[in-house]
Amino acid sequence: MQKNNLKALRLNKMVDEIEDYAILLLDRLGNIETWNRGAEHLKGYAAREILGSHFSIFYTPEDRQAGRPEYLLHIAAEKGSASDEGWRVRKDGSRFWGKIVITAIHDNDEIIGFTKVTKDLTAQKLSEQMQERYMHQLEARSKEMEQLAYIASHDLQEPLRTISRFTELLKMRHNHQLDEEGQMYLEIVHRSTGRMRELIKGILEYSLLGASREIVPVDLNELLDDLRTDLSNTISTTGTVIESQPMPVIHGYKTELRQLFQNLISNAIKFRKPDEPSVVRISGERNGEHWQFAVLDQGIGIESRFLEKIFLIFQRLHPRDQYPGTGIGLAYVRKIVELHDGKIWVESEPEVGSKFYFTLRDMKPL
Ligand code: ADP
């Protein structure tokens, strides 16, 4: 008997000294019977101030009005225990985020009271809230940027069309009235206008990627067959060989997925070694929730310092007269991959070839 008393004493002392958890005993009605150091630390009351009070004192007025403390006690009595998380109130009125478990204590079949353990998760909760707020801000900012890109590129098209039309007219009707220098200037304006039209169209299309929000099953084998047909002219004139392994059917944005493969394959052909036909290898395999794809070529390759830069909009590594293009293709590709919760990266060696890898999640609605 004495041994048991000693054990109970040691247990009480241990509970009393735990600092990270508030551990209390409640009577059958929820009145506080014991108070440990962790409870004092967390809730700010000394034992003499709080013993005998009802535990609902720690709840917010809204929770009290909704009967939350009584409800939790009821569940603990019915089911043996009740868990909850939420804002609670300290003695000084400040709030903390508590995770609690209330457990019923029985003597034979009768409930004689409850234990209540509370852990302070305020820091974790606040950091979660900050993260959430930050994500919302980022999302809002990115939507705003997309809208801006759309409006700007859409509205710029009209004045540009006018410039373009009048430059044409000037060239057609008045070119002979200009001296050689004047004709050269006009030619430069004409070419730059054409290029600007291409860039603006690029931004407009970029801002519209994924706008349809229509997710459908896409058979990537069919998609590659269609691309082979579309690119047949380039394929035959350059002697390109496209080898692909059996591909999956995945749910996603159909037009965008097509554009993704088309841009990567077109680049693999465009950046081939001079006077050498290119061999493009395409494969896809499951990797957990995602599919991982590879588009490999044996072309001119990319220096390691440019491996990230090439995915930025309008970034190019070669003069336009050497390799035509606007530098928007890979920015499209990255955005499309991200629309499918994926990632893209490239491994490459100059003069040996490039390996573009990307992942896509099957966006099948749940
Ligand atoms: P564009 O093809 O219009 O120049 P992209 O955004 O598609 O624009 O590509 C950006 C740059 O990345 C290209 O200008 C080229 O320098 C490099 N690049 C892309 N794909 C390859 C590839 N398969 N091999 C070598 N370089 C590549």
Side-chain angles (χ1 to χ4, degrees):
M1 185 67 192
Q2 219 183 0
K3 222 174 173 184
N4 276 349
N5 278 347
L6 209 63
K7 223 176 180 179
L9 204 71
R10 288 214 323 254
L11 194 67
N12 276 346
K13 188 121 187 69
M14 183 188 86
V15 168
D16 185 44
E17 289 189 2
I18 289 175
E19 295 223 12
D20 292 345
Y21 290 85
I23 303 175
L24 333 177
L25 276 180
L26 307 177
D27 70 13
R28 267 185 319 120
L29 301 174
N31 298 311
I32 301 164
E33 288 188 325
T34 67
W35 193 245
N36 76 334
R37 205 174 292 182
E40 183 169 341
H41 187 71
L42 178 57
K43 306 184 187 197
Y45 298 92
R48 71 188 135 69
E49 296 173 299
I50 197 76
L51 290 179
S53 303
H54 193 259
F55 83 104
S56 57
I57 193 169
F58 312 123
Y59 285 71
T60 61
E62 308 85 70
D63 276 351
R64 280 215 297 266
Q65 202 158 13
R68 186 147 203 93
E70 292 74 16
Y71 170 74
L72 290 170
L73 222 52
H74 170 74
I75 295 289
E78 288 277 303
K79 307 212 159 144
S81 78
S83 317
D84 192 28
E85 268 193 38
W87 290 110
R88 302 285 188 265
V89 186
R90 297 193 185 92
K91 181 184 168 188
D92 65 6
S94 61
R95 294 188 175 196
F96 66 93
W97 185 268
K99 183 179 167 93
I100 65 147
V101 182
I102 300 178
T103 311
I105 308 170
H106 295 89
D107 186 11
N108 292 322
D109 272 348
E110 201 189 332
I111 291 177
I112 54 167
F114 300 89
T115 58
K116 177 167 178 283
V117 180
T118 307
K119 183 161 170 61
D120 180 7
L121 292 182
T122 311
Q124 188 182 322
K125 184 70 191 170
L126 288 179
S127 109
E128 271 170 27
Q129 280 184 341
M130 286 262 287
Q131 220 169 335
E132 228 168 82
R133 212 170 301 152
Y134 186 58
M135 286 303 290
H136 277 137
Q137 275 174 0
L138 267 182
E139 253 169 51
R141 181 71 57 86
S142 124
K143 269 207 188 109
E144 204 177 271
M145 290 296 292
E146 240 159 59
Q147 251 164 6
L148 186 74
Y150 173 77
I151 292 167
S153 46
H154 185 262
D155 290 5
L156 280 173
Q157 279 186 328
E158 184 51 41
L160 190 65
R161 236 175 263 138
T162 312
I163 298 174
S164 193
R165 204 173 318 129
F166 280 94
T167 324
E168 280 297 333
L169 283 175
L170 208 56
K171 257 181 83 139
M172 264 164 45
R173 298 197 188 155
H174 302 281
N175 214 27
H176 60 279
Q177 289 168 275
L178 296 171
D179 62 12
E180 213 170 290
E181 198 177 359
Q183 289 182 3
M184 187 181 77
Y185 291 167
L186 191 57
E187 183 56 30
I188 293 174
V189 173
H190 176 67
R191 261 194 258 145
S192 297
T193 321
R195 187 159 159 64
M196 192 163 168
R197 194 179 322 119
E198 246 178 67
L199 295 178
I200 288 178
K201 189 166 154 261
I203 300 176
L204 186 63
E205 284 170 6
Y206 180 82
S207 73
L208 288 174
L209 288 174
S212 75
R213 303 254 159 248
E214 203 195 345
I215 290 177
V216 291
V218 183
D219 183 337
L220 296 178
N221 301 295
E222 274 174 26
L223 183 148
L224 288 181
D225 283 346
D226 289 350
L227 280 180
R228 278 193 183 92
T229 311
D230 285 2
L231 296 171
S232 57
N233 206 9
T234 321
I235 291 174
S236 64
T237 52
T238 55
T240 299
V241 178
I242 299 183
E243 295 174 2
S244 59
Q245 285 178 3
M247 299 289 265
V249 176
I250 68 164
H251 292 73
Y253 299 96
K254 188 168 185 183
T255 321
E256 282 81 355
L257 284 175
R258 187 187 163 104
Q259 177 134 40
L260 159 65
F261 280 95
Q262 176 166 342
N263 288 5
L264 289 175
I265 295 170
S266 304
N267 277 352
I269 301 175
K270 178 162 63 168
F271 297 104
R272 67 189 181 279
K273 291 191 193 110
D275 309 322
E276 243 184 63
S278 54
V279 179
V280 186
R281 294 201 170 87
I282 305 168
S283 59
E285 59 186 48
R286 202 179 244 300
N287 185 357
E289 277 209 344
H290 286 75
W291 283 88
Q292 182 169 319
F293 299 92
V295 178
L296 316 181
D297 67 52
Q298 300 163 354
I300 60 170
I302 305 160
E303 278 184 59
S304 61
R305 65 195 164 115
F306 296 127
L307 291 182
E308 303 220 349
K309 195 177 160 190
I310 54 169
F311 293 102
L312 299 176
I313 197 160
F314 301 141
Q315 292 289 338
R316 323 196 56 242
L317 308 179
H318 307 275
R320 269 196 319 280
D321 51 11
Q322 197 180 351
Y323 292 101
T326 53
I328 210 170
L330 287 180
Y332 271 43
V333 164
R334 184 165 75 172
K335 187 168 171 191
I336 296 165
V337 166
E338 284 170 1
L339 277 173
H340 293 85
D341 288 345
K343 287 194 171 58
I344 179 156
W345 65 99
V346 57
E347 293 169 7
S348 186
E349 206 179 314
E351 308 301 324
V352 177
S354 303
K355 298 174 178 175
F356 283 85
Y357 295 102
F358 58 98
T359 58
L360 301 174
R361 190 167 66 81
D362 189 334
M363 308 288 281
K364 190 173 183 172
L366 295 172

